[in-house]
Structure formats: structure tokens, C-alpha cells
Amino acid sequence: MLYAITLNYIRSVDEIESHLDTHRDWLIEHTRQGRILVAGPLEPRTGGFVLATCENRAELDAMLENDSFYVHKLVDYTVVAATPALRAGDFPAQWAPDAKAV
């Protein structure tokens, strides 16, 4: 299952920046494990965006609960699940196995 996750900052920029290194470490760890496909800040800088793949919502929630932004209650998360039906031919099939490549 693919998940689009929007992080919305609910604390001051100083508080966000004080935990940015540990948040990036969390992003890198899950990217290396194949769970996070892309991630980055929103424009304007009001939060961030993560595209992730997990077996189910419980796995995603367990992953999110280890993010320092979650632990320190710095962001609100909006999560939307999707089951892709189409994918670009270059998009890895492992992340959208049931999607038709076009």
C-alpha cells in the first residue's frame, strides 16, 4: 500500500530545527529500508511530505511513532492511502505491484 503523508508544523521554527537532524536520520533509515520512497519540505515551508510504502496502516503508524517530530509533538500528520491502478513505466513495480505500467 502506498501512503501520502503530509506533516504540518504545529510548533515554532526553532523547535522544529532543534529536532531536524534526528528527523532526517529517521527519514534516511526508512529510505534505506525501502519504506520511504521520497520525502522533503513543503513550499512554503509549513511542513513536509513523505511518500511511503508499507504492508498496512499498522506498520506505517509504528514507523511514524519513531519519528522525533512525532515523539516531541512538533507536527500533525495527514495520511492518505492509495492503491495505484496505473504507474509510469519507470516507476518501480515493487511499490505498485498491481498497477498497470503505461
Side-chain angles (χ1 to χ4, degrees):
M1 179 78 59
L2 283 179
Y3 294 93
I5 305 147
T6 305
L7 293 71
N8 297 299
Y9 299 150
I10 59 172
R11 301 299 268 267
S12 71
V13 172
D14 290 340
E15 289 179 274
I16 297 297
E17 288 184 0
S18 71
H19 294 281
L20 201 51
D21 287 342
T22 54
H23 172 69
R24 284 186 184 134
D25 291 344
W26 174 84
L27 289 169
I28 290 167
E29 173 189 346
H30 289 286
T31 300
R32 286 182 176 153
Q33 292 176 8
R35 288 190 190 104
I36 292 179
L37 311 179
V38 296
L42 296 175
E43 293 296 331
R45 192 108 188 253
T46 57
F49 176 81
V50 175
L51 181 62
T53 181
C54 292
E55 287 294 319
N56 53 50
R57 181 60 192 257
E59 180 183 342
L60 176 71
D61 289 342
M63 182 180 86
L64 293 174
E65 289 171 4
N66 290 311
D67 179 9
S68 62
F69 281 8
Y70 176 90
V71 171
H72 297 283
K73 298 176 177 40
L74 302 174
V75 298
D76 281 334
Y77 295 93
T78 302
V79 177
V80 178
T83 305
L86 293 175
R87 65 177 173 84
D90 292 347
F91 191 84
Q94 71 189 44
W95 296 329
D98 297 327
K100 179 181 177 183
V102 294

